[in-house]
Amino acid sequence: MTSSAIQPGATLGVMGGGQLGRMFVHAAQRMGYFTAVLDPDADSPAGRVSHRHVHADYLDDKGLAELAACSDAITTEFENVPAPALARLALRRPVAPGARAVGIAQDRSLEKAHFKGCGVPCAPYALIATQQQLDAVPPSLLPGILKTSRLGYDGKGQQRVKTLGELAAAWNELKRVPCVLEKMLPLAAECSVIVARGADGKMVNLPPQLNLHRAGILAVTEVSEGTIPAAQAAQAIAATESIAHGLGYVGVLCVEFFVLADGSLVVNEMAPRPHNSGHWSMDGCDVSQFELQVRTLAGLPLTQPRQHSPVVMLNLLGDLWFRDGAERTPAWDAVLELPGTHLHLYGKLGARPGRKMGHLNVTAATAQQARETALAAAALLGIEPF
Ligand code: ATP
Ligand code: MG
């Protein structure tokens, strides 16, 4: 072990108290660390399980000072944690990922420029920040998706547009904030890759994930040998590594890709943190994406994770808590009777349609068995078959 590693018994801090922070906290605590979470919400999923909860806004000076004072190193779990807050923390403590990488990931135009610089193609696009840029949009970008440059997630801040008239109306609706218009691509599939990179530049990766989105939100992830053709998987891993390397990245990074009909890959976006599509690793892999985050933050060794079971992950959205307008508890008993089902709920207080409440990992000896069990679980829960 390197002498600079932060040893168990120390305190790891995290900016953001959502479900990703909660699963980071669980992984850190399992390894003997204490944890501190900064989040403005008193009932945040991570704040409620952390040893310490700094109850403050992300840019609150006093809160940031308190987090820095009690943490030996600090990470982030929430895409939209202001980069300047991370820069401020970095004056006092090691922070990973750094403010620069997070700042690039937070801005679709900077992010696309970085992809280009790494030689990884993305969908044709145009920036729309002014009326002149709107007027200059080539019709070849339509039909397209207008996305706010900043602060989007789970399909929020996005509008699909078919004509220049719809585009203008959509931009007005998005309050004319800086946006990118992306050409709508015919997707054969979507996949993502998670890498972890240490301060010494060493990188390890999880096997690429096949992802199904519904209404802009991840619904199902499948990971088993052969789900993604080997050559495509290798290409996606190489592209993700070059994106991480180009950022001088330290931490866990997820890159999402579109797969076109001819099998070619186009990068969609990156997340400077563990990602929903990597949740399968908690039950299907010997090292989860959250343990990787702990290891990169603490400067512990990185070893290549090994998948031990085929997995299907089902996202559990708030919609499942409602049927015919009435609130209900999903049929957990029946689901847990199926072999190889692993339930993860995030302790969120109110279910709302589209809200990520938890996920279900289904492991089995074979990919086909995992899929069959996941389909049975989906039927019990009211999730559309896939
Ligand atoms: P998140 O951060 O939760 O992944 P987001 O709000 O940043 O989501 P995107 O990843 O940009 O959203 O898009 C969400 C989904 O919408 C994609 O996974 C894909 O299914 C679809 N989509 C987005 N852009 C395009 C495109 N240019 N062509 C076709 N489909 C697209
Ligand atoms: Mg996305």
Side-chain angles (χ1 to χ4, degrees), residues 23 279 282 313-316 342-344 346 358-361:
M23 292 182 272
H279 290 353
M282 299 172 83
M313 184 219 62
L314 303 178
N315 247 357
L316 305 173
H342 313 272
L343 180 62
H344 300 259
Y346 309 144
H359 64 274
L360 184 80
N361 283 337

Side-chain angles (χ1 to χ4, degrees), residues 108 147 153-155 158 190 213 216 256 258 268-270 275:
R108 289 189 193 275
K147 305 180 178 184
Y153 68 99
D154 289 349
Q158 300 199 0
E190 292 185 71
H213 290 82
E256 293 181 86
F258 300 138
N268 173 19
E269 59 171 359
M270 62 180 171
H275 191 257

Side-chain angles (χ1 to χ4, degrees), residues 54-377:
V54 179
H55 185 196
D57 195 77
Y58 299 119
L59 282 168
D60 179 71
D61 279 328
K62 233 176 106 219
L64 291 172
E66 191 182 334
L67 183 71
C70 70
S71 306
D72 294 280
I74 298 160
T75 188
T76 172
E77 65 99 43
F78 173 50
E79 188 124 357
N80 295 324
V81 164
L86 297 178
R88 220 176 298 167
L89 290 169
L91 297 174
R92 300 194 46 189
R93 297 289 180 208
V95 171
R100 184 178 155 265
V102 171
I104 292 172
Q106 282 173 345
D107 185 309
R108 289 189 193 275
S109 59
L110 298 178
E111 182 180 62
K112 286 175 192 300
H114 178 67
F115 294 152
K116 238 188 205 166
C118 296
V120 183
C122 49
Y125 72 99
L127 299 182
I128 301 181
T130 64
Q131 181 67 39
Q132 286 90 323
Q133 285 172 322
L134 179 71
D135 294 339
V137 161
S140 62
L141 288 180
L142 297 171
I145 306 190
L146 186 66
K147 305 180 178 184
T148 57
S149 285
R150 304 176 65 83
L151 301 176
Y153 68 99
D154 289 349
K156 293 185 175 70
Q158 300 199 0
Q159 294 216 25
R160 299 183 176 211
V161 293
K162 291 202 196 73
T163 62
L164 291 171
E166 280 180 21
L167 172 63
W171 192 46
N172 280 335
E173 214 168 294
L174 292 173
K175 310 244 163 51
R176 298 169 81 92
V177 295
C179 284
V180 300
L181 174 70
E182 265 178 49
K183 186 178 172 65
M184 187 82 181
L185 298 177
L187 309 186
E190 292 185 71
C191 68
S192 57
V193 177
I194 286 165
V195 296
R197 187 172 184 273
D200 60 357
K202 175 163 184 187
M203 260 191 274
V204 298
N205 67 278
L206 295 180
Q209 297 114 194
L210 182 68
N211 302 323
L212 171 68
H213 290 82
R214 286 178 174 150
I217 306 179
L218 182 66
V220 182
T221 293
E222 289 187 66
V223 192
S224 58
E225 212 164 322
T227 307
I228 297 175
Q232 210 175 75
Q235 201 193 333
I237 293 168
T240 304
E241 286 176 346
S242 103
I243 288 165
H245 177 77
L247 290 167
Y249 196 81
V250 178
V252 171
L253 177 80
C254 178
V255 178
E256 293 181 86
F257 297 91
F258 300 138
V259 184
L260 306 184
D262 63 0
S264 60
L265 289 174
V266 170
V267 63
N268 173 19
E269 59 171 359
M270 62 180 171
R273 49 168 173 77
H275 191 257
N276 195 168
S277 63
H279 290 353
W280 68 273
S281 61
M282 299 172 83
D283 297 300
C285 215
D286 60 356
V287 184
S288 77
Q289 61 171 347
F290 299 103
E291 179 171 339
L292 291 174
Q293 189 181 17
V294 173
R295 287 184 182 229
T296 52
L297 183 62
L300 295 171
L302 290 175
T303 59
Q304 179 65 27
R306 181 182 64 83
Q307 180 175 10
H308 52 69
S309 302
V311 188
V312 177
M313 184 219 62
L314 303 178
N315 247 357
L316 305 173
L317 301 181
D319 310 62
L320 306 183
W321 273 251
F322 298 92
R323 177 156 294 172
D324 304 325
E327 204 158 344
R328 59 157 186 172
T329 302
W332 306 133
D333 302 25
V335 166
L336 291 171
E337 218 165 83
L338 300 169
T341 52
H342 313 272
L343 180 62
H344 300 259
L345 292 175
Y346 309 144
K348 294 188 182 177
L349 292 182
R352 285 193 304 273
R355 190 174 196 202
K356 289 177 177 169
M357 302 298 290
H359 64 274
L360 184 80
N361 283 337
V362 181
T363 56
T366 65
Q368 195 194 338
Q369 187 58 58
R371 210 182 143 77
E372 277 170 20
T373 307
L375 282 166

